[in-house]
Structures are given as structure tokens and as C-alpha cells.
Amino acid sequence: MANHIKNERWVYVIEGENGNSARVKDLLLMGYDHFSKAMPLTNHVHEDAYEFVYVDQGVVDWEIGDETYHTNAQQVIHTSPGERHRAKFDYIGPSTIWWMIIRDPAQNKEWFGLQEEERQIFVNWMQNCPRIQLVSKDVVVYFKQLKQLLQNQSTVLLDFQLRHYVMEILLHLFHHSQLVVHSPNMHTYTQQLKDRLQQNPSARYSIEQLAKEFGLSESHFYRVFRETNGQSPIVCMERVRIDCASQMLKESKMSITDIAMELGFKTSQHFATVFKKMIGVTPKAWRKQNMQR
């Protein structure tokens, strides 16, 4: 079913706009992306701004400077001013993300209209907060409200409401008050499943088998797994295999067909299709690019 959903992108650039939204100069950009297949996301940098990205669905790997970071659904990752960043391998895989770019509070004494003492609190927090934070899905409500306001701009209090919802998002992160996981046991089980697949990537597990292991009905297991991980069990398992494939393409001289068979794909064509959907390029192209690094 997901294969029939096209990529969807919405981006709003505050600067250059007229009207009430233009008065909120500390919110530079905001966007929403739904990727049904891998898309380019190459190196970029925000010299005077922070970027916050909330992963609503899927799994996204990032490179910030020389470090690699792994994010799952319900996690927010941020970059600081001047940090060069990109999706790992320059492609972001199937996922849904919300993001916003806001001006550095340390460089603007009138930041979002806060008093000096309040602004300094945010300055200190942003300079020291964890790179990745877990938040509840409630934060999506505020992103959607921001999107709706920017699309309609039908109220004279728009600038006030924009500031309000940006603050709500930041406060979700600042207070660490919503470290809610739908099922801690499911998170543990998911990691165990990934470990099993890394040891034996050709293994194939049905939803029926996994649900029986976890002690739930198939439909209940599927729902809890997707709510907890932001992706279906099948997509999660395929992602592990593709990660294994990336390493094998880099570290071995095995043919692409042999790698496909080693990972349990019925044909090299099916393997190539799944690989390109998740990584953004074919196995052959990825191997060539990676060997040039």
C-alpha cells in the first residue's frame, strides 16, 4: 500500500514573505517531508541558526561533521549554527519528518520577544542539550498547527500564535517531560530482532511468527510495533538487511547477485529495487561511490 503513496513536501520560507508571518523573523524555515522512497539530502549548513528535525515515521541516519547519528520515530535531532550536516550517504530513506530552522538566540536580544532572562535560559539549553532527544507524538500537533497557520494566515494574531507554537515545540524538548514510549518491551524486542537479523540476515520472519513470539495477535502486534518504531516490521527487517548489504558492498568483493542471495532475496533485481528505495542509488552505484571515498 505504501508503494502507492508519492513523496510529499511542504516548505515555508519566512524571510521574503509579506504579512504577519514576516514579523516572526526568528523562525527562518519550516517544513514537512514524507518520503516513500529515498531522496537526496546533501551537505548543507545554517551559519546563524539551529535546525530541529522530528522523525515522525521511519528511520533516518545523519552525518554531522565527522559523526554519524541514528534516529528512530519519536526522536528529535538538532544541529547547531555552523555545523555541516547531511543524510548519511547523501540520501534520506523512506520516512516522514517535520523540521524547523530558527535563529540562534545568542545572536538576537529580541529573540521571539522573550525577556532577557528567558532568552538566556534558551541560549544555555541549546548550547548544551543532547543531540538526540525522545519526545511524544504530541509534538506533531504543534507542527501541524504551525503549518496550518502559515498556509492560511487569516488572523491578525498570527505572529503571536506562530511564536506560541514554536515555543511549545521547544518546551517539549527543554523539559524532557514527554519521554513516552508506546511499549518499552517492544523497543527491547525490536533491538533483539535487529541483533538476530544482523547475525543471520537471510532469516525471514512472518508477522504471525513475530506476534506469537511477543504474545500478541497479529493485528495488535503490527499496530504496537508500528506505533513504537514508526515503521512496519517488514520495513524494519528490510532496513537491517540493506544496512548489512551496504557493509558487504564496501568490505567484500562478492558479486551483487551473491550478496542478494546471502541476504535472502529471491532475485538480484528485487534486492536492487529495495536497496535503491532505501539508500537512493543502486547497489552498483553505491559500491562505486563508496570505493571512491
Side-chain angles (χ1 to χ4, degrees):
M1 182 175 179
N3 292 334
H4 301 293
I5 301 175
K6 296 181 178 179
N7 286 352
E8 180 183 352
R9 157 158 277 211
W10 176 83
V11 178
Y12 194 90
V13 182
I14 306 299
E15 289 187 341
E17 292 292 331
N18 297 316
N20 294 328
S21 65
R23 299 206 294 263
V24 188
K25 297 184 180 300
D26 296 312
L27 175 60
L28 302 179
L29 290 96
M30 182 194 160
Y32 164 85
D33 288 293
H34 170 79
F35 301 109
S36 61
K37 61 181 181 180
M39 295 293 290
L41 185 58
T42 56
N43 260 324
H44 58 289
V45 63
H46 311 294
E47 292 294 349
D48 302 313
Y50 286 83
E51 180 172 10
F52 292 89
V53 181
Y54 175 76
V55 181
D56 191 13
Q57 295 183 34
V59 172
V60 183
D61 293 327
W62 311 88
E63 291 182 4
I64 303 175
D66 296 326
E67 299 293 329
T68 299
Y69 298 90
H70 180 82
T71 53
N72 297 304
Q74 290 185 249
Q75 290 184 326
V76 170
I77 186 169
H78 83 274
T79 57
S80 299
E83 286 190 316
R84 189 165 297 278
H85 54 284
R86 64 173 184 162
K88 190 175 182 181
F89 305 134
D90 288 330
Y91 280 88
I92 183 169
S95 57
T96 301
I97 61 174
W98 292 87
W99 51 272
M100 66 179 184
I101 300 172
I102 58 176
R103 203 180 306 276
D104 182 2
Q107 300 187 40
N108 182 8
K109 292 185 176 181
E110 298 180 354
W111 192 76
F112 283 105
L114 297 182
Q115 298 295 321
E116 177 61 18
E117 182 178 355
E118 296 170 329
R119 182 179 70 87
Q120 285 299 328
I121 291 174
F122 277 98
V123 170
N124 294 334
W125 171 68
M126 289 187 183
Q127 291 177 350
N128 297 286
C129 68
R131 175 75 73 187
I132 297 173
Q133 298 179 74
L134 179 67
V135 298
S136 78
K137 281 184 166 291
D138 294 343
V139 74
V140 173
V141 173
Y142 302 112
F143 276 113
K144 288 182 176 179
Q145 289 287 354
L146 276 172
K147 182 174 183 284
Q148 183 177 2
L149 287 167
L150 290 168
Q151 286 178 316
N152 297 332
Q153 301 200 32
S154 58
T155 172
V156 293
L157 294 176
L158 176 64
D159 52 338
F160 172 81
Q161 292 184 56
L162 289 175
R163 288 195 296 269
H164 167 73
Y165 286 119
V166 171
M167 287 295 105
E168 287 286 358
I169 292 171
L170 293 177
L171 288 171
H172 260 68
L173 308 181
F174 181 70
H175 287 300
H176 295 265
S177 60
Q178 297 291 341
L179 300 184
V180 177
V181 180
H182 287 280
S183 172
N185 290 335
M186 181 60 81
H187 263 298
T188 300
Y189 179 79
T190 302
Q191 187 56 53
Q192 292 171 348
L193 176 61
K194 290 179 178 179
D195 291 342
R196 285 157 57 186
L197 284 169
Q198 287 170 350
Q199 293 296 321
N200 183 17
S202 65
R204 297 285 161 169
Y205 301 103
S206 66
I207 301 299
E208 179 183 9
Q209 181 179 352
L210 297 179
K212 186 176 181 180
E213 287 182 355
F214 196 72
L216 295 176
S217 68
E218 288 185 53
S219 59
H220 193 187
F221 173 83
Y222 184 93
R223 180 178 62 79
V224 175
F225 190 102
R226 189 175 182 87
E227 286 180 354
T228 303
N229 296 289
Q231 58 187 337
S232 72
I234 300 301
V235 171
C236 177
M237 290 186 287
E238 291 289 57
R239 181 74 212 193
V240 174
R241 295 187 186 97
I242 295 304
D243 287 343
C244 291
S246 298
Q247 290 300 314
M248 294 170 73
L249 287 164
K250 175 183 176 181
E251 297 172 359
S252 78
K253 295 182 179 180
M254 293 176 62
S255 71
I256 292 173
T257 298
D258 287 344
I259 290 175
M261 297 301 104
E262 184 79 11
L263 296 176
F265 289 91
K266 293 183 178 179
T267 66
S268 58
Q269 290 80 6
H270 181 220
F271 166 63
T273 298
V274 175
F275 190 97
K276 185 174 182 180
K277 181 177 180 180
M278 292 192 173
I279 302 297
V281 295
T282 64
K284 182 179 180 180
W286 190 92
R287 170 176 265 174
K288 183 177 179 181
Q289 291 173 6
N290 201 57
M291 291 304 180
Q292 293 174 346
R293 291 182 180 273

